Amino acid sequence: MNQFDKFDILSVSERAFKKIKEGQYVVNGSSGTLYYENGEIVSYKKTNDYLINNFTSFLSYASQLGPKEYRDGYLSWIFEDELNSLKQNKNISICATSGGTEALFMAFKSLNKTHTVLFSSIRWPNYDTISKESDIKFEIFNFFNKDFKFDFVSLENRINEIDSKILLVINDPCHNPTGFNLEMEDYNKLFALINKYNDKVTLLLDLAYLDYSSSRKMIIKKIVDSSLKTPLYLAVSASKSFGFYGLRMGALITIFNKNEEDIYTEKYKTFIRGTISSTNHLANGGLGLFFKDEEAVKKVKRDIFNQTERILRIGNGVKEILKEKNIQYYPYSSGFYITFIKEDAPSYLEYLESKNIYFTLIDNTTIRIAICSLKESDLTYLKENL
């Protein structure tokens, strides 16, 4: 077994859970799943109740786009009081998907004959797999400059070097695997840069972690107020937001100009029909009912905010430990992950596992900590053993 197979998420998690079952104290920073302090997966009673109590109501096929209640409700959940403004100024196409991953796949597949996908150098590894399976070519730009800021110079250089049209994928907020967030000025520069190239560059925002971000409202406001010349694709994950990791729910949202023809909706319907036949009615039917319950929505929003604050406390605690140990890390603002730099990372992971600390390997000098699966009580142990 090579080092990357040994320290990938599934292998590391398997070893961590084996130790946990043996009754040993384990710091499991490998899983991208959000856990409570007691070790249970974070989910929310109000959403759970709507799915469980209405299970048999949605045994029929759903439409290819997903139930209207789900699509309308999800747009309201995401855009909140900005939705009316968005609808007045833009056209919107939305299709229910099996998580954020299928949303990405659909966007890539729909553009694979005309576009090249452009990713940042530090990224979620599954982007590469999705690109391969959707048969779209991809290129890379450097993510951070020497000052650990978003590298707009590298991005523009790569845009200039690519001959075809480009689908630019930006994973923000809570970038996986660093926890980096773009700021308001970054969004202004990003949108201006895209418009500079007229119709060459189309933006896809991977918003998988939107609900657990401190910059959520700013991002939504920027999306609503944007005057992009090209369509804007949004990949969103209800699975991530509500803790239904194995019950795949999400959406691909396309925002385009009022005077532009809707070529997206029929394309997505055809795609669903030709792959999974129908969206997951059991999942998005129940969630559609939840979205209509204003009090339940408010309660879950508050619960998610509380979890966001808890994750941030853990993340800031990990940052302080890394600083104290003189371990360099990439900029972390919020979210599920933080990534640090360590020479001969595989050997260091071997050492950590001897202390029952489980992280995952990104490359030979980079290690990812899944803050979402840590407990606040783990910080003391990490401080003693990192």
Side-chain angles (χ1 to χ4, degrees):
M1 179 184 293
N2 65 43
Q3 296 283 24
F4 289 98
D5 288 338
K6 181 177 182 179
F7 292 111
D8 74 5
I9 294 171
L10 295 179
S11 298
V12 175
S13 292
E14 182 179 354
R15 294 195 295 274
F17 281 113
K18 182 179 178 181
K19 290 289 184 71
I20 292 170
K21 288 180 180 178
E22 292 172 356
Q24 300 187 42
Y25 183 84
V26 170
V27 175
N28 182 14
S30 66
S31 174
T33 302
L34 180 59
Y35 289 94
Y36 289 115
E37 293 290 313
N38 65 4
E40 294 180 1
I41 289 178
V42 170
S43 62
Y44 304 102
K45 185 178 185 306
K46 291 292 185 180
T47 30
N48 292 352
D49 286 348
Y50 271 103
L51 266 67
I52 294 168
N53 295 337
N54 296 282
F55 183 82
T56 57
S57 300
F58 300 106
L59 296 177
S60 61
Y61 288 115
S63 70
Q64 277 74 51
L65 295 174
K68 187 176 187 300
E69 292 80 6
Y70 174 81
R71 289 179 285 123
D72 290 348
Y74 205 175
L75 287 174
S76 294
W77 171 272
I78 293 167
F79 291 100
E80 298 177 326
D81 55 3
E82 296 287 343
L83 182 57
N84 286 337
S85 177
L86 179 64
K87 287 180 174 179
Q88 287 172 9
N89 297 306
K90 301 286 185 179
N91 285 329
I92 307 169
S93 172
I94 176 170
C95 179
T97 62
S98 297
T101 301
E102 189 188 25
L104 292 165
F105 183 85
M106 285 174 60
F108 293 1
K109 190 71 174 178
S110 67
L111 296 174
N112 65 359
K113 292 181 173 61
T114 54
H115 287 64
T116 298
V117 181
L118 184 55
F119 298 128
S120 59
S121 53
I122 305 173
R123 63 193 181 279
W124 182 40
N126 204 32
Y127 282 144
D128 298 29
T129 306
I130 300 168
S131 299
K132 179 180 178 182
E133 294 304 313
S134 59
D135 197 28
I136 191 168
K137 179 182 177 183
F138 70 89
E139 299 286 351
I140 305 300
F141 71 93
N142 188 53
F143 191 34
F144 290 118
N145 62 24
K146 60 181 179 61
D147 299 317
F148 287 102
K149 302 290 186 181
F150 187 89
D151 197 340
F152 280 100
V153 173
S154 176
L155 174 58
E156 186 162 10
N157 287 340
R158 293 300 289 134
I159 291 172
N160 290 331
E161 291 166 356
I162 295 172
D163 292 332
S164 69
K165 289 187 175 182
I166 294 167
L167 179 64
L168 172 62
V169 176
I170 300 293
N171 176 207
D172 187 77
C174 309
H175 173 262
N176 180 359
T178 66
F180 173 78
N181 284 359
L182 292 174
E183 298 179 356
M184 187 182 299
E185 291 182 5
D186 295 320
Y187 271 95
N188 292 339
K189 289 178 68 173
L190 179 64
F191 289 167
L193 179 62
I194 292 170
N195 276 341
K196 175 181 175 180
Y197 289 89
N198 294 316
D199 66 345
K200 181 176 181 178
V201 182
T202 295
L203 177 62
L204 187 157
L205 288 176
D206 182 352
L207 300 174
Y209 299 93
L210 178 69
D211 284 317
Y212 293 93
S213 163
S214 54
S215 56
R216 186 191 195 286
K217 288 188 177 296
M218 180 273 289
I219 293 169
I220 293 302
K221 182 67 173 171
K222 286 295 176 185
I223 290 171
V224 171
D225 292 344
S226 71
S227 55
L228 291 171
K229 298 176 182 178
T230 47
L232 173 60
Y233 291 81
L234 308 176
V236 291
S237 174
S239 299
K240 193 81 68 182
S241 294
F242 301 110
F244 299 132
Y245 302 95
L247 188 59
R248 310 300 297 146
M249 292 183 285
L252 176 61
I253 301 168
T254 311
I255 301 170
F256 52 102
N257 293 323
K258 278 287 188 183
N259 60 356
E260 183 183 344
E261 180 186 358
D262 182 2
I263 60 172
Y264 311 98
T265 298
E266 289 302 317
K267 186 182 297 185
Y268 300 152
K269 285 171 67 176
T270 302
F271 180 90
I272 294 293
R273 185 61 178 159
T275 53
I276 60 175
S277 181
S278 171
T279 52
N280 187 340
H281 207 184
L282 291 176
N284 49 40
L287 205 57
L289 294 177
F290 160 75
F291 285 139
K292 294 170 71 174
D293 185 337
E294 293 183 8
E295 291 305 313
V297 166
K298 289 177 183 177
K299 174 65 168 62
V300 173
K301 290 266 188 183
R302 289 194 297 270
D303 291 343
I304 289 177
F305 176 81
N306 290 336
Q307 290 303 317
T308 301
E309 292 288 291
R310 184 176 68 88
I311 300 166
L312 187 58
R313 286 196 301 273
I314 297 172
N316 287 336
V318 171
K319 281 170 58 174
E320 289 303 312
I321 294 168
L322 294 174
K323 286 179 185 176
E324 185 179 307
K325 304 287 185 178
N326 292 315
I327 298 174
Q328 188 178 36
Y329 59 90
Y330 288 110
Y332 171 85
S333 298
S334 62
F336 281 31
Y337 309 104
I338 189 168
T339 295
F340 67 91
I341 301 166
K342 195 74 174 178
E343 188 176 347
D344 194 6
S347 294
Y348 189 62
L349 287 173
E350 294 272 11
Y351 159 76
L352 291 177
E353 290 199 12
S354 74
K355 301 287 186 177
N356 279 2
I357 298 172
Y358 293 83
F359 301 151
T360 53
L361 184 70
I362 293 178
D363 58 41
N364 284 321
T365 60
T366 316
I367 294 170
R368 189 192 79 169
I369 304 174
I371 295 166
C372 54
S373 60
L374 298 182
K375 302 183 289 291
E376 291 191 69
S377 57
D378 290 334
L379 294 175
T380 301
Y381 191 86
L382 287 175
K383 188 172 183 178
E384 294 171 351
N385 290 282
L386 276 189

